[in-house]
Amino acid sequence: MAAAGRISRGFVKLLSSPNPIASPARLIFHRGLASTLFVKGIAFDTTEGKLAEAFSKFGQVEGAKIIMDKVKNRSKGFGYVTFAVEEDARKALTDMNGKLLDGRVVFVDMARARRNVADSVPKARRPTEPPIND
């Protein structure tokens, strides 16, 4: 029980730290979509390394993911870049939007939460049974 009290006091101390951007609690709970950018217009020959390198001048890039077409085995032309700090993501958003990357103009926006497709698609009705003729 005493350990739980120490943990909860430590957690409260983290939440009330003087520097909320660098607080570990903020990194754990609030990093998600606030620091992830959606990038469209990516050239087909752009690699995840090139994408990360282009955005790394704005801050620490934690990851770059280019969405691939499995049938054609090439890029779909869009991807995501995740930053360690939200402010770096906002700076990259304003500076990289409309700029050239590997010969193509890229458009940058904040990533949005995924929609749950199962909730938006109506459930199919079962087929009506044919009338029984006596």
Side-chain angles (χ1 to χ4, degrees):
M1 191 70 171
R6 282 191 305 257
I7 291 172
S8 64
R9 281 192 299 273
F11 184 70
V12 169
K13 186 177 178 181
L14 283 175
L15 287 176
S16 61
S17 71
N19 187 359
I21 291 175
S23 96
R26 180 177 171 108
L27 293 176
I28 292 170
F29 294 112
H30 297 288
R31 204 179 97 237
L33 293 176
S35 62
T36 302
L37 299 177
F38 171 74
V39 184
K40 68 178 179 178
I42 299 172
F44 294 129
D45 60 341
T46 300
T47 63
E48 291 177 352
K50 286 182 186 177
L51 185 63
E53 182 182 334
F55 280 85
S56 66
K57 62 184 173 184
F58 301 104
Q60 180 184 355
V61 174
E62 290 193 347
K65 176 73 176 159
I66 295 178
I67 307 304
M68 300 294 287
D69 185 339
K70 294 176 185 173
V71 175
K72 295 180 181 178
N73 198 25
R74 70 174 187 182
S75 164
K76 286 188 174 184
F78 67 93
Y80 299 91
V81 178
T82 304
F83 283 88
V85 180
E86 181 180 349
E87 297 306 318
D88 294 340
R90 291 192 187 282
K91 188 173 17 169
L93 171 74
T94 57
D95 290 352
M96 284 295 289
N97 192 22
K99 297 290 184 332
L100 283 175
L101 177 65
D102 286 343
R104 295 206 41 195
V105 176
V106 293
F107 298 97
V108 184
D109 198 5
M110 296 302 285
R112 297 184 184 148
R114 280 183 135 183
R115 272 189 350 186
N116 190 354
V117 178
D119 291 342
S120 63
V121 177
K123 294 188 166 95
R125 297 181 184 165
R126 65 183 175 115
T128 59
E129 296 180 19
I132 301 175
N133 293 331
D134 291 325

